[in-house]
PDB file of all heavy atoms in Angstrom:
ATOM      1  N   ILE K  74      -8.906  63.684 -38.920  1.00 98.00           N
ATOM      2  CA  ILE K  74      -8.604  64.219 -37.575  1.00 98.00           C
ATOM      3  C   ILE K  74      -7.137  64.671 -37.377  1.00 98.00           C
ATOM      4  O   ILE K  74      -6.938  65.564 -36.774  1.00 98.00           O
ATOM      5  CB  ILE K  74      -9.039  63.143 -36.587  1.00 98.00           C
ATOM      6  CG1 ILE K  74     -10.507  62.692 -36.752  1.00 98.00           C
ATOM      7  CG2 ILE K  74      -8.798  63.615 -35.043  1.00 98.00           C
ATOM      8  CD1 ILE K  74     -10.943  61.350 -36.021  1.00 98.00           C
ATOM      9  N   VAL K  75      -6.266  63.808 -37.969  1.00 98.00           N
ATOM     10  CA  VAL K  75      -4.857  64.115 -37.876  1.00 98.00           C
ATOM     11  C   VAL K  75      -4.498  65.302 -38.598  1.00 98.00           C
ATOM     12  O   VAL K  75      -3.802  66.258 -38.093  1.00 98.00           O
ATOM     13  CB  VAL K  75      -4.041  62.930 -38.424  1.00 98.00           C
ATOM     14  CG1 VAL K  75      -2.596  63.295 -38.716  1.00 98.00           C
ATOM     15  CG2 VAL K  75      -4.061  61.708 -37.620  1.00 98.00           C
ATOM     16  N   ARG K  76      -5.263  65.526 -39.820  1.00 98.00           N
ATOM     17  CA  ARG K  76      -5.077  66.794 -40.541  1.00 98.00           C
ATOM     18  C   ARG K  76      -5.529  67.996 -39.619  1.00 98.00           C
ATOM     19  O   ARG K  76      -4.754  68.983 -39.611  1.00 98.00           O
ATOM     20  CB  ARG K  76      -6.000  66.759 -41.790  1.00 98.00           C
ATOM     21  CG  ARG K  76      -6.192  68.070 -42.493  1.00 98.00           C
ATOM     22  CD  ARG K  76      -6.836  67.825 -43.788  1.00 98.00           C
ATOM     23  NE  ARG K  76      -7.360  69.009 -44.405  1.00 98.00           N
ATOM     24  CZ  ARG K  76      -6.723  69.885 -45.000  1.00 98.00           C
ATOM     25  NH1 ARG K  76      -5.323  69.869 -45.177  1.00 98.00           N
ATOM     26  NH2 ARG K  76      -7.173  70.971 -45.659  1.00 98.00           N
ATOM     27  N   ARG K  77      -6.559  67.930 -38.976  1.00 98.00           N
ATOM     28  CA  ARG K  77      -7.088  68.990 -38.196  1.00 98.00           C
ATOM     29  C   ARG K  77      -6.047  69.313 -37.046  1.00 98.00           C
ATOM     30  O   ARG K  77      -5.741  70.438 -36.745  1.00 98.00           O
ATOM     31  CB  ARG K  77      -8.491  68.685 -37.560  1.00 98.00           C
ATOM     32  CG  ARG K  77      -9.522  68.564 -38.788  1.00 98.00           C
ATOM     33  CD  ARG K  77     -10.929  68.391 -38.339  1.00 98.00           C
ATOM     34  NE  ARG K  77     -11.163  67.579 -37.238  1.00 98.00           N
ATOM     35  CZ  ARG K  77     -12.219  66.568 -37.280  1.00 98.00           C
ATOM     36  NH1 ARG K  77     -12.864  66.398 -38.317  1.00 98.00           N
ATOM     37  NH2 ARG K  77     -12.444  65.853 -36.288  1.00 98.00           N
ATOM     38  N   HIS K  78      -5.700  68.191 -36.408  1.00 98.00           N
ATOM     39  CA  HIS K  78      -4.731  68.377 -35.302  1.00 98.00           C
ATOM     40  C   HIS K  78      -3.411  69.174 -35.705  1.00 98.00           C
ATOM     41  O   HIS K  78      -3.018  70.063 -35.095  1.00 98.00           O
ATOM     42  CB  HIS K  78      -4.298  66.959 -34.664  1.00 98.00           C
ATOM     43  CG  HIS K  78      -3.437  67.026 -33.506  1.00 98.00           C
ATOM     44  ND1 HIS K  78      -3.907  66.956 -32.201  1.00 98.00           N
ATOM     45  CD2 HIS K  78      -2.090  67.110 -33.486  1.00 98.00           C
ATOM     46  CE1 HIS K  78      -2.841  66.953 -31.501  1.00 98.00           C
ATOM     47  NE2 HIS K  78      -1.721  67.049 -32.183  1.00 98.00           N
ATOM     48  N   ARG K  79      -2.986  68.630 -36.831  1.00 97.00           N
ATOM     49  CA  ARG K  79      -1.542  69.180 -37.189  1.00 97.00           C
ATOM     50  C   ARG K  79      -1.668  70.608 -37.843  1.00 97.00           C
ATOM     51  O   ARG K  79      -0.774  71.415 -37.687  1.00 97.00           O
ATOM     52  CB  ARG K  79      -0.978  68.196 -38.232  1.00 97.00           C
ATOM     53  CG  ARG K  79      -0.537  66.953 -37.524  1.00 97.00           C
ATOM     54  CD  ARG K  79       0.215  65.868 -38.344  1.00 97.00           C
ATOM     55  NE  ARG K  79       0.339  64.774 -37.508  1.00 97.00           N
ATOM     56  CZ  ARG K  79       0.807  63.487 -37.957  1.00 97.00           C
ATOM     57  NH1 ARG K  79       0.899  63.206 -39.291  1.00 97.00           N
ATOM     58  NH2 ARG K  79       1.017  62.468 -37.194  1.00 97.00           N
ATOM     59  N   LEU K  80      -2.796  70.901 -38.405  1.00 98.00           N
ATOM     60  CA  LEU K  80      -2.953  72.229 -38.948  1.00 98.00           C
ATOM     61  C   LEU K  80      -3.032  73.216 -37.786  1.00 98.00           C
ATOM     62  O   LEU K  80      -2.485  74.345 -37.739  1.00 98.00           O
ATOM     63  CB  LEU K  80      -4.105  72.338 -39.825  1.00 98.00           C
ATOM     64  CG  LEU K  80      -3.866  71.941 -41.292  1.00 98.00           C
ATOM     65  CD1 LEU K  80      -5.277  71.916 -42.042  1.00 98.00           C
ATOM     66  CD2 LEU K  80      -2.945  72.814 -42.078  1.00 98.00           C
ATOM     67  N   TRP K  81      -3.783  72.775 -36.728  1.00 98.00           N
ATOM     68  CA  TRP K  81      -3.984  73.698 -35.492  1.00 98.00           C
ATOM     69  C   TRP K  81      -2.594  73.757 -34.888  1.00 98.00           C
ATOM     70  O   TRP K  81      -2.175  74.953 -34.443  1.00 98.00           O
ATOM     71  CB  TRP K  81      -4.999  73.154 -34.603  1.00 98.00           C
ATOM     72  CG  TRP K  81      -6.385  73.495 -35.037  1.00 98.00           C
ATOM     73  CD1 TRP K  81      -7.455  72.618 -35.338  1.00 98.00           C
ATOM     74  CD2 TRP K  81      -6.934  74.707 -35.100  1.00 98.00           C
ATOM     75  NE1 TRP K  81      -8.531  73.305 -35.586  1.00 98.00           N
ATOM     76  CE2 TRP K  81      -8.371  74.530 -35.551  1.00 98.00           C
ATOM     77  CE3 TRP K  81      -6.545  76.022 -35.029  1.00 98.00           C
ATOM     78  CZ2 TRP K  81      -9.241  75.597 -35.824  1.00 98.00           C
ATOM     79  CZ3 TRP K  81      -7.353  77.218 -35.209  1.00 98.00           C
ATOM     80  CH2 TRP K  81      -8.682  76.884 -35.684  1.00 98.00           C
ATOM     81  N   GLU K  82      -1.826  72.734 -34.826  1.00 97.00           N
ATOM     82  CA  GLU K  82      -0.519  72.844 -34.212  1.00 97.00           C
ATOM     83  C   GLU K  82       0.355  73.808 -34.986  1.00 97.00           C
ATOM     84  O   GLU K  82       1.111  74.692 -34.373  1.00 97.00           O
ATOM     85  CB  GLU K  82       0.259  71.489 -34.292  1.00 97.00           C
ATOM     86  CG  GLU K  82      -0.199  70.469 -33.180  1.00 97.00           C
ATOM     87  CD  GLU K  82       0.737  69.353 -33.011  1.00 97.00           C
ATOM     88  OE1 GLU K  82       1.506  69.049 -34.038  1.00 97.00           O
ATOM     89  OE2 GLU K  82       0.711  68.648 -32.002  1.00 97.00           O
ATOM     90  N   TYR K  83       0.285  73.646 -36.359  1.00 96.00           N
ATOM     91  CA  TYR K  83       1.036  74.676 -37.136  1.00 96.00           C
ATOM     92  C   TYR K  83       0.629  76.196 -36.883  1.00 96.00           C
ATOM     93  O   TYR K  83       1.473  77.082 -36.586  1.00 96.00           O
ATOM     94  CB  TYR K  83       0.814  74.348 -38.566  1.00 96.00           C
ATOM     95  CG  TYR K  83       1.775  75.190 -39.559  1.00 96.00           C
ATOM     96  CD1 TYR K  83       2.999  74.701 -39.879  1.00 96.00           C
ATOM     97  CD2 TYR K  83       1.371  76.347 -40.042  1.00 96.00           C
ATOM     98  CE1 TYR K  83       3.811  75.388 -40.702  1.00 96.00           C
ATOM     99  CE2 TYR K  83       2.210  77.083 -40.851  1.00 96.00           C
ATOM    100  CZ  TYR K  83       3.442  76.677 -41.191  1.00 96.00           C
ATOM    101  OH  TYR K  83       4.279  77.345 -42.026  1.00 96.00           O
ATOM    102  N   PHE K  84      -0.733  76.318 -36.824  1.00 98.00           N
ATOM    103  CA  PHE K  84      -1.174  77.663 -36.448  1.00 98.00           C
ATOM    104  C   PHE K  84      -0.748  78.205 -35.081  1.00 98.00           C
ATOM    105  O   PHE K  84      -0.200  79.376 -34.950  1.00 98.00           O
ATOM    106  CB  PHE K  84      -2.848  77.642 -36.469  1.00 98.00           C
ATOM    107  CG  PHE K  84      -3.460  78.861 -35.925  1.00 98.00           C
ATOM    108  CD1 PHE K  84      -3.556  80.027 -36.650  1.00 98.00           C
ATOM    109  CD2 PHE K  84      -3.924  78.910 -34.583  1.00 98.00           C
ATOM    110  CE1 PHE K  84      -4.122  81.144 -36.203  1.00 98.00           C
ATOM    111  CE2 PHE K  84      -4.534  79.993 -34.113  1.00 98.00           C
ATOM    112  CZ  PHE K  84      -4.659  81.158 -34.915  1.00 98.00           C
ATOM    113  N   LEU K  85      -0.885  77.460 -34.098  1.00 98.00           N
ATOM    114  CA  LEU K  85      -0.457  77.734 -32.842  1.00 98.00           C
ATOM    115  C   LEU K  85       1.018  78.121 -32.701  1.00 98.00           C
ATOM    116  O   LEU K  85       1.488  79.123 -31.992  1.00 98.00           O
ATOM    117  CB  LEU K  85      -0.745  76.637 -31.849  1.00 98.00           C
ATOM    118  CG  LEU K  85      -2.267  76.308 -31.558  1.00 98.00           C
ATOM    119  CD1 LEU K  85      -2.431  74.995 -30.790  1.00 98.00           C
ATOM    120  CD2 LEU K  85      -2.866  77.477 -30.739  1.00 98.00           C
ATOM    121  N   SER K  86       1.864  77.397 -33.400  1.00 94.00           N
ATOM    122  CA  SER K  86       3.314  77.601 -33.259  1.00 94.00           C
ATOM    123  C   SER K  86       3.623  78.813 -34.167  1.00 94.00           C
ATOM    124  O   SER K  86       4.380  79.787 -33.734  1.00 94.00           O
ATOM    125  CB  SER K  86       3.913  76.337 -33.803  1.00 94.00           C
ATOM    126  OG  SER K  86       5.364  76.522 -34.085  1.00 94.00           O
TER     127      SER K  86
END
Side-chain angles (χ1 to χ4, degrees):
Chain K
I74 301 166
V75 168
R76 168 170 164 80
R77 296 184 323 226
H78 182 95
R79 292 182 179 165
L80 280 172
W81 282 118
E82 282 195 340
Y83 188 92
F84 169 76
L85 293 168
S86 168

